[in-house]
Amino acid sequence: QITLKESGPTLVKPTQTLTLTCTFSGFSLTTSGVGVGWIRQPPGEALEWLALIYWDDDRRYSPSLRSRLTITKDTSKNQVVLTMTNMDPVDTATYYCAQSKYYAFPFDNWGQGTLVTVSS
Amino acid sequence: DIQMTQSPSSLSASVGDRVTITCRASQGISNYLAWYQQKPGKVPNLLIRAASTLQSGVPSRFSGSGSGTDFTLTISSLQPEDVATYYCQNYNSARFTFGPGTKVDLK
């Protein structure tokens, strides 16, 4: 059974850096083709893809947020970490991590999401 | 960058109606197109990948078609449990852009 779970702060202040961790089980990020991505969804709004990291450490970022994002993996811990700098209230959203089971494959397993609020 | 648009943004239909949602990519994406269903308060669920391949467990009333820039999600006979927002997504290897979503509810 594949599971993913997001963890991190629920409240961050403007200008701070957000660090979110996705801890997963049921698959390995050392398996060829596998990727883990991050997606966010502001309250009442649409899904927005943020970043994805592949088994081979290939990293992809949303062009509009690339300068603020870093995605890394720790295969020994089955974790993927997303950092987003210079947080703003407009970044308030539910942040999801999700698995892409093959290269160039959509997200077929998702975490439950974690709501991050940006406020002073 | 590839932009994804959807129409309509929302629709109301009766149980049993045929529902069609359109997704358009700003440039050709072959068949790297997925559809997700997100019910209120729930996590998105992958319905269709490769434009027309139904995921295991997805009811056969759902179907997808298209290639290149124009894609369609069809619900052949709308059921109450289909009330949700539907998102298309381009997932070629470089980008994973979502469309703005189409909210489907019952008339």
Side-chain angles (χ1 to χ4, degrees):
Chain A
Q1 181 189 2
I2 291 172
T3 65
L4 302 98
K5 186 173 184 179
E6 307 85 354
S7 59
T10 58
L11 179 65
V12 298
K13 290 179 168 40
T15 75
Q16 286 186 335
T17 293
L18 171 68
T19 299
L20 293 172
T21 300
C22 176
T23 304
F24 57 86
S25 63
F27 68 96
S28 173
L29 248 183
T30 63
T31 301
S32 179
V34 174
V36 173
W38 287 92
I39 305 99
R40 71 178 180 180
Q41 185 172 38
E45 297 186 26
L47 300 168
E48 179 183 19
W49 171 70
L50 301 177
L52 180 135
I53 189 164
Y54 284 110
W55 86 103
D56 60 356
D57 214 35
D58 186 11
R59 307 173 196 194
R60 309 288 174 157
Y61 295 101
S62 166
S64 62
L65 292 167
R66 182 184 181 93
S67 64
R68 300 174 53 204
L69 296 173
T70 303
I71 189 170
T72 59
K73 61 181 174 68
D74 185 332
T75 54
S76 67
K77 295 181 179 179
N78 280 351
Q79 291 181 334
V80 171
V81 175
L82 180 76
T83 61
M84 179 180 289
T85 61
N86 194 26
M87 293 292 285
D88 183 272
V90 299
D91 297 313
T92 294
T94 295
Y95 287 75
Y96 297 99
C97 64
Q99 180 213 25
S100 171
K101 69 170 64 172
Y102 307 118
Y103 192 74
F105 197 89
F107 298 118
D108 51 345
N109 290 289
W110 294 61
Q112 287 301 304
T114 185
L115 176 61
V116 177
T117 301
V118 184
S119 175
S120 56
Chain B
D1 289 323
I2 297 173
Q3 305 299 319
M4 308 299 291
T5 57
Q6 288 182 235
S7 62
S9 58
S10 65
L11 67 90
S12 294
S14 300
V15 173
D17 281 354
R18 184 182 184 87
V19 169
T20 300
I21 299 169
T22 297
C23 175
R24 176 163 290 175
S26 60
Q27 58 186 273
I29 58 171
S30 183
N31 68 338
Y32 290 101
L33 192 283
W35 290 97
Y36 296 84
Q37 176 192 63
Q38 187 178 31
K39 296 182 179 180
K42 300 297 186 183
V43 176
N45 179 50
L46 178 63
L47 295 179
I48 290 171
R49 62 176 176 86
S52 60
T53 300
L54 222 60
Q55 288 295 100
S56 174
V58 174
S60 58
R61 62 181 179 274
F62 290 92
S63 64
S65 65
S67 184
T69 60
D70 295 313
F71 303 87
T72 300
L73 172 70
T74 299
I75 308 173
S76 61
S77 176
L78 186 70
Q79 300 301 304
E81 60 266 32
D82 301 334
V83 168
T85 300
Y86 294 85
Y87 295 93
C88 63
Q89 181 202 30
N90 162 40
Y91 62 91
N92 73 355
S93 57
R95 302 286 184 260
F96 292 78
T97 313
F98 288 93
T102 295
K103 187 175 182 180
V104 175
D105 60 26
L106 290 177
K107 191 179 294 183

